[in-house]
Amino acid sequence: MLYAISGEDVPDSLDKRMAVRPAHLERIKALQEDGRLFLAGPYPAIDSPDPGPAGFSGSLIVAEFESLEAAQAWAEADPYATSGVYAKVTVKPFKKVLPA
């Protein structure tokens, strides 16, 4: 089943985020290589595709996991969660409807 993992950044997270970004992306690429990644990306803190020093307010990952518990465990072990980039992480089941 698909699960949506939404992380909300702590204030002024850009430096922390950039420091652990390679490890974060490595885990996401592993999901992609396994054919389990549906989409992933950050929320820009301002209305711009390149927010510059304004940074990001969080991230969204939608991926396939065996269970809600497996998705939660994956999210809790993510470098953004373990290094303090995220203030809060929410994991919910996700049902894709469109596009078909």
Side-chain angles (χ1 to χ4, degrees):
M1 179 163 189
L2 292 175
Y3 294 89
I5 300 169
S6 183
E8 297 176 29
D9 283 21
V10 298
D12 301 315
S13 64
L14 189 57
D15 289 341
K16 285 183 185 180
R17 181 180 267 272
M18 297 313 292
V20 296
R21 185 173 186 261
H24 169 76
L25 290 178
E26 188 175 310
R27 294 182 84 238
I28 294 173
K29 287 178 183 177
L31 288 174
Q32 183 178 18
E33 289 169 3
D34 288 344
R36 298 170 36 206
L37 182 65
F38 183 72
L39 66 87
Y43 301 120
I46 59 173
D47 189 12
S48 172
D50 181 5
F56 301 92
S57 63
S59 303
L60 173 65
I61 299 165
V62 178
E64 185 177 352
F65 291 91
E66 293 177 10
S67 65
L68 177 59
E69 293 78 16
Q72 289 170 328
W74 188 94
E76 290 169 4
D78 186 80
Y80 282 0
T82 61
S83 69
V85 172
Y86 290 153
K88 177 182 177 185
V89 178
T90 304
V91 181
K92 294 181 178 183
F94 181 82
K95 182 178 176 183
K96 180 182 178 257
V97 175
L98 294 171

